Amino acid sequence: MPGDGFTIKSRIRKFLRSPSTGKNCKENLTSKVTLEKVLGITSSGNSALACDPRSGLVAYPAGCVVVLLNPKKNRQHHIINTSRKTITALSFSPDGKHLVTGESGHLPAVRVWDVAERKQVAELQKHKYGVSCVAFSPNGKYIVSVGNQHDMMVNVWAWKKDVIVAANKVSSKVKGVSFSEDSSYFVTVGNRHVKFWYLDHCKANKASAPVPLLGRSGLLGELRNNFFCDVACGRGSKSDSTFCITSSGLLCEFNSKRMLDKWVDLRTGLAQSLSLSEHMIFCGCADGTVRAFRPADLHFVCTLPWPHPLGSDVSSMTEAR
């Protein structure tokens, strides 16, 4: 009968609206259901993957959830974004106690989470359309957040005081950000873009309103048309240098005067990521290749062995890949 379908729908709606199966049922399910394990990852770049060097904890997004993975124990913990917006960027604090996240969508927030408690401790809503990069300063006082290509805002946030100390706009799509060892400046990179942002005048600012963030472009010379996809400021004896990587496969070094001083060819079809310590630079390239260089002179050290295929028994292997 034509009216049967309408009758069934009406009964279902009435059943769902009834007090015994509505809000109370939802609350009971929420208290009983817990997230056990996340399969997959929604990271779209380097800025959405982080590792705490102190604990070895790895953080990455899966939709509106941040997965905290302990690779030694193969155990997951989870931070669930209360706004249900997709996480697009994240980074650990220097002491590993806090995690900062950026999200996408209308009026996205930059949130700071307590890693141990997995609870939000601070929130900033100064972007309009999306956050592409976030980072803590090495002294832990500041958080820098960079908006996506539709937002274009760079904010420096004194997160413990909940004050924006400096802000400005960026003219290019930003793919990476890195703080200097002394927290006096940070560097952003992107499409034909390497820019140094200085915080010295921000520290003396006592006004309630943010001051304009002072930025100076890197001197790219003949490499000005490259896509710079990741950046890392030097450490130790190379603290005055800044290292960048291009998607075409070049490892570049900028000196203290922001000048592109030297570069080396990684001999790869595509380069994507960069990580460094005081004594080594690691470059992530195509096909899982990782090449290591010395920061002192960009001398090639080695190519790391590829990881074994998933599901294979390492103890039974007799030949290197």
Side-chain angles (χ1 to χ4, degrees), residues 199-252:
L199 301 181
D200 290 337
H201 68 297
C202 306
K203 297 175 183 178
N205 178 35
K206 303 296 182 182
S208 57
V211 299
L213 184 61
L214 179 63
R216 293 284 185 266
S217 296
L219 305 177
L220 306 179
E222 60 185 88
L223 299 185
R224 60 185 175 274
N225 292 323
N226 275 267
F227 188 98
F228 296 86
C229 53
D230 208 357
V231 57
C233 292
R235 297 291 182 260
S237 60
K238 298 295 290 184
S239 60
D240 288 340
S241 295
T242 300
F243 300 92
C244 300
I245 198 170
T246 70
S247 59
S248 59
L250 298 176
L251 171 61
C252 308

Side-chain angles (χ1 to χ4, degrees), residues 200-321:
D200 290 337
H201 68 297
C202 306
K203 297 175 183 178
N205 178 35
K206 303 296 182 182
S208 57
V211 299
L213 184 61
L214 179 63
R216 293 284 185 266
S217 296
L219 305 177
L220 306 179
E222 60 185 88
L223 299 185
R224 60 185 175 274
N225 292 323
N226 275 267
F227 188 98
F228 296 86
C229 53
D230 208 357
V231 57
C233 292
R235 297 291 182 260
S237 60
K238 298 295 290 184
S239 60
D240 288 340
S241 295
T242 300
F243 300 92
C244 300
I245 198 170
T246 70
S247 59
S248 59
L250 298 176
L251 171 61
C252 308
E253 179 182 351
F254 289 81
N255 60 24
S256 59
K257 298 180 180 179
R258 310 188 321 276
M259 183 178 295
L260 206 166
D261 194 26
K262 61 185 78 165
W263 65 89
V264 295
D265 192 343
L266 299 175
R267 297 184 181 180
T268 180
L270 179 68
Q272 297 172 320
S273 59
L274 179 69
S275 181
L276 64 77
S277 66
E278 187 175 345
H279 306 291
M280 201 71 70
I281 302 174
F282 298 98
C283 303
C285 308
D287 301 322
T289 301
V290 178
R291 305 201 194 281
F293 295 82
R294 282 202 309 244
D297 52 10
L298 297 189
H299 180 77
F300 174 71
V301 177
C302 67
T303 298
L304 271 61
W306 283 334
H308 59 273
L310 290 175
S312 60
D313 184 2
V314 181
S315 61
S316 65
M317 291 184 176
T318 57
E319 295 182 1
R321 181 177 172 186

Side-chain angles (χ1 to χ4, degrees), residues 137-139 178-185 233-240 278:
S137 61
N139 60 18
S178 178
F179 262 96
S180 65
E181 190 174 41
D182 62 359
S183 302
S184 64
Y185 66 92
C233 292
R235 297 291 182 260
S237 60
K238 298 295 290 184
S239 60
D240 288 340
E278 187 175 345

Side-chain angles (χ1 to χ4, degrees), residues 159-180:
W159 67 280
K160 291 182 180 179
K161 299 178 181 179
D162 195 19
V163 175
I164 294 290
V165 296
N168 210 329
K169 284 199 170 184
V170 65
S171 58
S172 301
K173 180 179 179 180
V174 173
K175 292 292 289 182
V177 60
S178 178
F179 262 96
S180 65

Side-chain angles (χ1 to χ4, degrees), residues 60-120:
Y60 59 87
C64 66
V65 176
V66 176
V67 180
L68 301 173
L69 173 66
N70 185 329
K72 294 180 181 179
K73 298 180 179 180
N74 193 24
R75 185 179 299 169
Q76 291 185 2
H77 291 291
H78 309 96
I79 296 174
I80 300 176
N81 189 4
T82 52
S83 72
R84 299 296 189 265
K85 292 179 180 177
T86 300
I87 303 293
T88 54
L90 50 80
S91 181
F92 279 102
S93 62
D95 59 8
K97 293 181 179 180
H98 294 95
L99 184 80
V100 58
T101 61
E103 57 194 32
S104 61
H106 181 62
L107 296 178
V110 177
R111 306 176 192 272
V112 181
W113 307 85
D114 185 296
V115 174
E117 299 291 331
R118 299 193 292 280
K119 293 182 179 179
Q120 181 178 310

